[in-house]
Structure formats: C-alpha cells, structure tokens
Amino acid sequence: MKKTIGLLLFPDFQIIDMAVVAVFETANSLPGGPYYELTVLSELGGPVRSSSGVAVLTERFGAPAFDTIMVAGSSEATPPMPPFTAFLREASQASRRTASICAGAFQLAEAGLIDGRRVTTHWAMARELQRLYPKARVEEDRIYIEDERIWSSAGMTACIDLSLALVEADYGVELARAVARKMVVYHRRTGGQSQFSALLELEPKSDRIQNALSYAKRNLRKALSVDELADAATLSRRQFTRAFRLETGQSPAKAVETLRVEAARTMIEEGNHAIDVVAREVGFDDPERMRRAFIRAYGMPPQAIKRAARAGAESAT
C-alpha cells in the first residue's frame, strides 16, 4: 500500500525544497513501486509563487490525514500564518509523522509541535529559532534530526538527505541507496553529520589545490607530508606551499588537521568507536594529539562530544 505524503507550501517558499518530490518520484520508479502518493497543498490552492518567482500548482487544504506531513522552508523565517498553522497542527495530529525543511521548523514551532523536542534548521536561522521558541531544543549543526514522530532538516539540499532518510525508515536502506544512486547523489549524508564542510570552508580556488585537499581527505590515515600533497597537486613543494596559503589562508598542515578533526567528529557522533581507534583511523599519531586538535577546533575534547552524541541518541529513543 502506498504511503501518502502531504507537502505544505506557502508564498515565497524555497524552490529547492521541491527536490523532495524527486526523491519520492524516483522511489516510485524502482522495482516494487510505486511506494508513495504525494500531494502538494496550500491554504488557497492553485499556483503558489516561490521566492525565485517560479510558481507551483497546489491543491487547497482539505482532509488532514496523511502518512507524512512535510512543510517546505524559505530563505528567512516566515511570520505566523494562522490558517496555515491551524491546518498544520490538525494534520500533524491526524498523520503518522511530521517533517520540516529548513525554515519550515518555524511553522512547526508556531503550531506547538516541537516543544521539548530536538530540532534543526538552516544554520543561519538556528539561533533565531531558539530565541523565539525557547522550549525547543535547537541543534544548529545537524543535517536532519528525528525525534520520535517529528523530523526536521537543515536548509537547501538537506531536504534530499531528509527524504532519503524517510524512504529508508519506510522501506529499508537498500531502496534508499537505490534512489540515491539513480539521483546521482554522490554521498547520502546521515542526520548527525555537520552542516559545515571543511573542504567548503577552505574554499580552494584552483583545481590543483582542490585535488590536493581531496587526496588528503581520501588518505587521512597516511602521514600526508607537504611533498606528497604537492605531488597530488602536480606542483613543486615551493609552488604548492605558496599557492596553498594564498588560496586557503592556511598552511597545508593546519588544513590537514582540520580535515582530520572533521572526520574524527563524524566517526565519534555516528558510531561507537573507542577514541584511540578514531584517532588512528583519521591519522592522528595518538589520542592526546587528537584531543588538543579538538579543543582548538571545538573548545572541547572528543570525549565530551561523544557524551553529547550519546545523550542525544538516548533522548531520541
């Protein structure tokens, strides 16, 4: 039996959030499908204009019961919309689960659906969400969060990660992987993964420096000397060192440490690995060196991050 999904739109919604439609459409095209029946809804029905100017045709709010209610986001926090809030509250009560994308979390909050719950949104709006709705437990550096029947995601392309996670919860990991492959999603991110990327933050401007950083990320267990990275960039040591600092503002050693810390944090938050195992896997010489790097990056040791991740997982069960 197909699962029904109601996607709620409002004026000036973010058009990229319609990517969730592609996830469920792709699932329906795979063997055993169709798996989902999706309805796009709005208060008045008809075309709803996105912030980009592109309009999407919708049906008017009606019967509230769906398997899943999803709320689209926007590029900024949207003021309360009483009719929208009332339908969302009713639909959430009548449906099995409710999910928000990006600033859609503000709509869930206005409907009273995230009091006492873990929730995320786009990193740029997270503190505002926490300020306006202090009863929510906002985690600003997550791709998506599941707290019982309430799901929420970060902004932009995180809606794809959220939708793939919903597919996995409904029909298993193999179908979710098949959808990701067909959509040419290079890496299906887990909910606990950071919204930030060390490679993105470094912002290399040339392909050669990007190649060196990508090589480093694939080979973190190795020593990764400057000479090795220079070879990956097909530059001399002197040319590489000068170009690297000009493009990233960091030394190669500092950038590699940043990549190692990011990889270590992901392992700690998503698995049950011992700290010394994590240190070895990401290329730190010993746990103490990793501890010092974590304090420089996050202001806390890896053990504290591990405890926080465990506490979050326990509160979600």
Side-chain angles (χ1 to χ4, degrees), residues 107-296:
Q107 305 305 325
L108 266 60
E110 189 65 22
L113 301 177
I114 60 173
D115 289 353
R117 294 189 183 276
R118 298 169 60 238
V119 66
T120 195
T121 186
H122 191 292
W123 61 266
M125 306 181 203
R127 295 185 183 180
E128 180 70 2
L129 179 64
Q130 187 67 83
R131 185 185 70 81
L132 292 175
Y133 303 97
K135 292 182 181 180
R137 297 164 56 194
V138 181
E139 298 184 16
E140 64 182 75
D141 193 17
R142 292 291 181 269
I143 298 297
Y144 65 83
I145 288 176
E146 174 194 2
D147 190 334
E148 296 180 353
R149 54 186 298 273
I150 302 295
W151 297 62
S152 57
S153 82
M156 302 297 181
T157 60
C159 69
I160 297 175
D161 303 284
L162 171 66
S163 300
L164 288 169
L166 294 176
V167 172
E168 180 175 333
D170 291 339
Y171 296 106
V173 66
E174 290 305 320
L175 182 63
R177 285 175 179 165
V179 173
R181 283 195 298 270
K182 192 165 185 179
M183 290 183 65
V184 199
V185 175
Y186 176 69
H187 176 57
R188 194 169 59 87
R189 297 175 292 183
T190 59
Q193 190 167 333
S194 172
Q195 292 188 30
F196 304 98
S197 163
L199 284 177
L200 194 61
E201 293 293 311
L202 289 167
E203 295 185 322
K205 297 175 178 60
S206 70
D207 288 344
R208 288 187 173 187
I209 301 303
Q210 177 67 59
N211 289 342
L213 285 167
S214 297
Y215 174 84
K217 191 174 176 85
R218 294 193 305 269
N219 295 277
L220 289 176
R221 290 192 68 177
K222 301 177 70 174
L224 294 174
S225 66
V226 173
D227 288 335
E228 186 173 359
L229 295 175
D231 286 344
T234 63
L235 292 169
S236 71
R237 178 190 177 100
R238 183 180 177 184
Q239 289 174 320
F240 173 73
T241 302
R242 183 172 60 248
F244 193 96
R245 189 175 287 277
L246 282 173
E247 292 191 25
T248 69
Q250 297 186 14
S251 68
K254 178 61 178 175
V256 168
E257 179 181 284
T258 300
L259 292 173
R260 284 184 168 134
V261 166
E262 180 182 70
R265 180 170 180 172
T266 299
M267 284 188 68
I268 289 169
E269 292 181 329
E270 297 181 4
N272 191 30
H273 308 287
I275 296 298
D276 60 335
V277 172
V278 173
R280 183 171 64 251
E281 287 297 315
V282 301
F284 284 108
D285 291 339
D286 59 72
E288 176 57 25
R289 183 181 172 193
M290 185 173 79
R291 187 188 73 83
R292 293 195 298 268
F294 263 67
I295 291 173
R296 284 192 292 270

Side-chain angles (χ1 to χ4, degrees), residues 50-69:
S50 69
S51 59
S52 68
V54 175
V56 173
L57 191 62
T58 67
E59 296 184 18
R60 189 169 185 167
F61 289 163
F66 291 84
D67 177 79
T68 302
I69 284 288

Side-chain angles (χ1 to χ4, degrees), residues 77-92:
T78 304
M81 302 173 287
F84 188 99
T85 301
F87 179 79
L88 173 58
R89 186 182 297 115
E90 182 183 8
S92 182

